[in-house]
Amino acid sequence: GNLNNNALIISNFNSSNIITINNDMSLSVNFTIEQGIKFIINPNINFTINDSVILTNNGILIDYGEINGNGNLINNNGFIFTDHRN
């Protein structure tokens, strides 16, 4: 099934766990990308990590857009891929 709030879509299909950011959004609470999860920021999207907020990556973070803000991104045995050719 899907959970869609216009900015964040969480999908679980074919044994794949994918979180897709389709609209500009701000992360206002701590969040962990668990192992086996793909977290994708689509092209031309601004993903802001607010002050004092931590995004922890244990999975795969694919950044086609922009990650900004004064929060923290912690990479723990995860992978981060960026592609800003658009």
Side-chain angles (χ1 to χ4, degrees):
N2 289 334
L3 170 65
N4 185 344
N5 72 355
N6 294 324
L8 178 64
I9 297 174
I10 301 173
S11 300
N12 184 358
F13 56 91
N14 296 330
S15 301
S16 296
N17 293 307
I18 301 171
I19 299 171
T20 304
I21 308 301
N22 289 317
N23 296 303
D24 293 350
M25 71 173 293
S26 295
L27 185 64
S28 58
V29 296
N30 294 339
F31 186 81
T32 299
I33 304 167
E34 298 294 349
Q35 185 176 5
I37 301 290
K38 291 180 186 173
F39 189 95
I40 302 169
I41 301 168
N42 279 334
N44 303 312
I45 299 300
N46 288 309
F47 182 79
T48 302
I49 304 172
N50 289 348
D51 294 348
S52 303
V53 173
I54 299 170
L55 174 61
T56 303
N57 181 34
N58 298 324
I60 299 171
L61 173 58
I62 302 172
D63 174 23
Y64 296 114
E66 293 292 330
I67 299 174
N68 52 50
N70 292 322
N72 293 298
L73 171 59
I74 299 173
N75 193 47
N76 290 333
N77 298 317
F79 297 96
I80 299 175
F81 301 97
T82 58
D83 184 353
H84 298 149
R85 289 182 282 177
N86 46 12

